[in-house]
Amino acid sequence: WALLDGTLPDGLSLNGTTGVVSGTPTTAQTRTPTFQVTSGGQTASRSLPITIAAAGARTWVGGSGDEPNNWLLADNWTPALVPTADDDVIVPPTDWNPIIGSGTGSVRNLTIQSGAAVEVAGPAELRVHGNLDAGQTITGGGTVTLQGASGTARGTMANPVEVTGAYTVDGTLVTGPMTVTGAGASLSLDGEIVSVAGDFTVQNGGVFRSTVADGALAVSGNASFRGGNTAGDVSTGVLSISGDFV
């Protein structure tokens, strides 16, 4: 194997024996080198574009082969890598809305653009380690877990939501049953509206805060507040509980 024309992205190299391109890219860029291979007296060449995307950025494209909606399939993303907890993810409207059918999908910040949707099927899980803009809808019976150290959340989710990190609502938030659980877990209304279809539970050291006027929590089921010390954390706003209040 050899490079007939052009160069590889910075930090990558070609193994002349195996044809493997490897290394650690050092900058975002696109190069289109021409590779040549010789075997048994025959020679062939081909130009191939190689794109190194900015670190931590993933955009959904979908449409790959027999699994055009599979979140966990690398070829459904650009660049072709399944997102991790270190990646900022954008889901634009396409013909193939992503589905997490099983296992766990992870992101840092997630933005679902208008016209797009994400399905988290039960018992799958979507873990958000940063900010969540759920857009018009996240659907399915799987759990959406918010576990960032200092995140924001907004948008519409039919799914059960578990808050294990510290989150501030920065726009109307509509969810399925919600649990705020664990030491360090918190949900702060910050003057916004949260509507929960089902039960709302604060437990195991979790904290609920409403200290800014115009904030409202509407719960269609039961509400249980058995979390941490909330002295001074609920000073204004509206609580609307359709079921039992504990």
Side-chain angles (χ1 to χ4, degrees):
W1 288 84
L3 282 176
L4 185 63
D5 187 40
T7 59
L8 295 172
D10 297 340
L12 300 185
S13 62
L14 171 67
N15 186 307
T17 301
T18 64
V20 172
V21 174
S22 62
T24 302
T26 59
T27 186
Q29 58 188 284
T30 297
R31 300 274 178 88
T32 307
T34 300
F35 296 92
Q36 178 177 282
V37 60
T38 300
S39 178
Q42 301 294 313
T43 298
S45 63
R46 184 174 180 180
S47 297
L48 296 172
I50 300 176
T51 298
I52 306 300
R58 302 283 183 267
T59 300
W60 172 262
V61 291
S64 178
D66 295 332
E67 300 181 86
N69 303 93
N70 187 352
W71 175 291
L72 298 176
L73 182 64
D75 286 345
N76 281 325
W77 296 93
T78 182
L81 295 167
V82 176
T84 72
D86 296 321
D87 297 323
D88 295 337
V89 169
I90 297 174
V91 179
T94 68
D95 291 332
W96 307 277
N97 286 325
I99 299 173
I100 306 174
S102 61
T104 301
S106 295
V107 300
R108 180 169 56 187
N109 301 316
L110 173 60
T111 300
I112 302 174
Q113 295 180 345
S114 178
V118 172
E119 179 182 347
V120 184
E125 180 183 9
L126 171 61
R127 296 178 182 173
V128 180
H129 296 258
N131 302 328
L132 172 64
D133 184 347
Q136 295 174 329
T137 189
I138 298 177
T139 64
T143 300
V144 177
T145 303
L146 306 179
Q147 55 189 81
S150 179
T152 60
R154 63 188 301 168
T156 300
M157 294 172 278
N159 311 64
V161 175
E162 186 167 290
V163 182
T164 61
Y167 276 80
T168 299
V169 182
D170 72 341
T172 300
L173 180 63
V174 180
T175 76
M178 178 183 288
T179 303
V180 182
T181 183
S186 64
L187 182 72
S188 301
L189 292 188
D190 203 32
E192 301 291 349
I193 297 173
V194 175
S195 179
V196 177
D199 295 341
F200 178 78
T201 304
V202 183
Q203 63 184 19
N204 299 330
V207 173
F208 169 75
R209 296 188 176 95
S210 180
T211 59
V212 179
D214 299 325
L217 171 65
V219 180
S220 70
N222 303 323
S224 176
F225 294 83
R226 300 180 182 276
N229 185 353
T230 59
D233 286 329
V234 182
S235 58
T236 188
V238 176
L239 296 180
S240 175
I241 314 297
S242 297
D244 295 333
F245 181 84
V246 181

